[in-house]
Amino acid sequence: MRPLLCCLGLAALLGPCLACPSACSCSTKKNGRLLAECAYKDLQEVPEGLSSNVTILTLSANRIGWLGQGSFAEVPEVQSLWLGYNQIGVVEPGTFALLVHLKNLDLSHNKIADFPWQDLRNLSGLQILKMNNNRLAGLPWDAFRSLKDLRSLWLNDNELTTLAEGTFDNLPSLSQLQIFNNPFNCSCKVFWLKKWTENTSVSITKGGSTLCVAPGRLKGRAVTDIPDHHCIAPSVQLTYLSNLDNTVMYDGLTLTLHCSVAGSPLPEIRWKIQTSSHRIEINGPNVARDGNVKQSQERFLAFKNGTMAIPNFSKEDEGIYTCLAVNDVGMRDVSVNVALAGSENPAEDLLQDDPQASHLGGRSCYKGDEMDPSGAGEKLVIVYHMPRESKSRAGGVVPQVHLGTLLLALSIVLCC
């Protein structure tokens, strides 16, 4: 009687461990893992009644069309989850977020267009991710950033037209990547991918089938064969311009900076201005062809040709002026720190402050990667002549000043 009671007690203990839906067959592998085999059962949803100890769950080749937050709540210990060859079109946020032990996830051959990429942030132990043969048209650049153990990534046979630079960064274990049979638009937005494939040790399966669909001149060519001259990173040059020598100014002067850019495609020009009281960003020209200016930025005039003009420049406008050149290949910037000073004898005072100042007018390019780490850029001091008779009795300066001396760089050039 006692052996029978022991057996019944043992069965009661093991019963929950071996719980298995009627549509599945469950067994214990030699390595102790519990397998729930539910493939080819014509299932329309994830079955209920799975044991919490299941570590391998096979649901391939069914008719499952939807996955929700609670679909895998019964199997928190699952390590391998096979869902290929279903009809999955909807995956709710949170579906996989709690499966922190997951190492293998197969979602291939489904209808997934939108995926909750944030769910992957908790799956740091994931080693294999198959998303091939779906309808993915795009993915965020940081979709895989938490997957330090990811070894194999399948994204082939989707609808990806581009990939953001950095998509495969921070994947130290990645050894296999499949991205072929996607309709890539080989604009310069994917030029980084060519450079990355040339330098990576990752095996890119069927690289020759990773072809461009657009633009027309590159159609049928491999992404890895985009011509170098087609995409050139920006370069930028910043020049201080003035024709104000020996002129009389009322209410200050007009500061004019000109930003010249080069690259392919031609970079767009943006400005960042940092003064003691303002932080302004101007993303493109704000002066229309008819001369109208956006009211919110009328103090700083940005023209289509790359010129920035600040009428009636005063002490309040002193600060750091940065020109940015941006295209699909990258971004470069160069800055100048502008200050305004008045003096009765500007040449003498300037040389006392900076013995090398008189030579700055001949300085050539100033490389962005060698710039002052403070980010202030080159120092441009505009020193104007302030005659004695222009001083008021209170020691102030009357509005009329003669710009007889604009030292420091009517021709100063900064570039990178």
Side-chain angles (χ1 to χ4, degrees):
M1 188 70 173
R2 184 173 293 176
L4 179 60
L5 292 175
C6 291
C7 291
L8 291 174
L10 182 61
L13 290 173
L14 293 177
C17 298
L18 298 176
C20 190
S22 59
C24 307
S25 61
C26 301
S27 60
T28 302
K29 307 284 285 185
K30 291 182 179 179
N31 56 12
R33 295 180 180 178
L34 186 60
L35 166 66
E37 175 62 68
C38 313
Y40 295 95
K41 300 297 182 179
D42 206 31
L43 297 173
Q44 297 185 36
E45 59 184 15
V46 178
E48 297 181 355
L50 290 163
S51 169
S52 62
N53 291 344
V54 166
T55 53
I56 304 172
L57 177 57
T58 301
L59 289 162
S60 304
N62 281 292
R63 294 195 296 122
I64 299 172
W66 171 87
L67 297 175
Q69 290 187 21
S71 293
F72 304 106
E74 293 183 334
V75 288
E77 304 294 323
V78 70
Q79 296 179 19
S80 297
L81 182 55
W82 309 110
L83 289 157
Y85 292 94
N86 274 280
Q87 299 175 18
I88 300 169
V90 176
V91 183
E92 287 187 352
T95 298
F96 303 105
L98 299 180
L99 304 182
V100 296
H101 302 287
L102 205 57
K103 294 183 178 180
N104 306 303
L105 177 58
D106 180 8
L107 287 163
S108 63
H109 296 272
N110 278 288
K111 301 177 181 180
I112 301 172
D114 295 307
F115 184 80
W117 300 104
Q118 64 273 17
D119 279 19
L120 301 183
R121 294 173 186 171
N122 295 333
L123 310 185
S124 58
L126 197 64
Q127 298 178 8
I128 297 175
L129 177 59
K130 294 184 177 182
M131 300 285 290
N132 54 293
N133 293 87
N134 275 284
R135 299 176 181 177
L136 298 174
L139 58 154
W141 69 270
D142 58 350
F144 313 116
R145 66 178 179 179
S146 301
L147 307 182
K148 305 299 182 183
D149 293 337
L150 191 67
R151 295 186 286 106
S152 182
L153 176 60
W154 298 31
L155 294 169
N156 55 284
D157 292 277
N158 274 285
E159 298 177 9
L160 298 171
T161 58
T162 188
L163 289 170
E165 185 170 2
T167 298
F168 307 122
D169 289 352
N170 302 314
L171 295 176
S173 303
L174 190 65
S175 59
Q176 182 189 32
L177 174 66
Q178 297 190 174
I179 54 173
F180 58 89
N181 289 346
N182 277 289
F184 283 113
N185 181 343
C186 293
S187 70
C188 293
K189 290 183 179 179
V190 298
F191 186 67
W192 70 271
L193 185 59
K194 171 187 175 176
K195 295 298 183 183
W196 183 80
T197 57
E198 290 173 350
N199 296 296
T200 186
S201 59
V202 176
S203 174
I204 303 176
T205 307
K206 294 185 178 179
S209 298
T210 309
L211 304 179
C212 305
V213 172
R217 64 181 179 278
L218 296 177
K219 186 175 182 179
R221 296 183 68 167
V223 172
T224 54
D225 196 29
I226 300 175
D228 287 350
H229 68 270
H230 180 59
C231 302
I232 302 173
S235 62
V236 57
Q237 177 175 291
L238 185 59
T239 309
Y240 170 71
L241 303 174
S242 178
N243 59 355
L244 301 178
D245 278 332
N246 300 315
T247 61
V248 177
M249 296 295 295
Y250 297 87
D251 299 323
L253 61 90
T254 296
L255 174 67
T256 305
L257 300 170
H258 183 71
C259 189
S260 301
V261 299
S264 180
L266 185 66
E268 63 179 70
I269 296 173
R270 303 173 186 174
W271 291 92
K272 289 185 178 181
I273 303 167
Q274 177 68 64
T275 68
S276 59
S277 59
H278 294 91
R279 191 184 190 97
I280 299 170
E281 294 188 10
I282 302 176
N283 296 320
N286 62 7
V287 180
R289 290 183 178 180
D290 59 7
N292 291 329
V293 184
K294 296 179 182 178
Q295 292 184 357
S296 61
Q297 299 172 342
E298 60 185 3
R299 183 76 188 88
F300 304 93
L301 307 179
F303 296 86
K304 188 175 181 180
N305 67 350
T307 295
M308 162 73 71
I310 306 96
N312 301 323
F313 190 85
S314 65
K315 296 290 286 185
E316 294 181 356
D317 300 315
E318 291 181 332
I320 301 170
Y321 290 75
T322 301
C323 173
L324 301 94
V326 183
N327 69 6
D328 291 340
V329 186
M331 184 271 289
R332 297 298 297 271
D333 65 81
V334 65
S335 301
V336 61
N337 190 350
V338 183
L340 186 64
S343 172
E344 294 179 5
N345 192 344
E348 181 177 314
D349 290 347
L350 181 63
L351 292 174
Q352 287 177 356
D353 292 338
D354 186 352
Q356 297 182 347
S358 62
H359 301 294
L360 281 176
R363 176 171 276 179
S364 59
C365 289
Y366 193 84
K367 298 296 183 182
D369 56 358
E370 299 171 0
M371 292 174 68
D372 183 346
S374 68
E378 185 65 84
K379 184 80 172 182
L380 172 61
V381 181
I382 303 174
V383 185
Y384 56 85
H385 184 213
M386 196 171 66
R388 291 183 181 181
E389 59 271 16
S390 67
K391 284 189 175 181
S392 68
R393 293 180 181 179
V397 181
V398 297
Q400 181 177 354
V401 294
H402 293 271
L403 285 163
T405 310
L406 284 180
L407 295 176
L408 271 196
L410 299 182
S411 60
I412 188 170
V413 175
L414 310 175
C415 67
C416 67

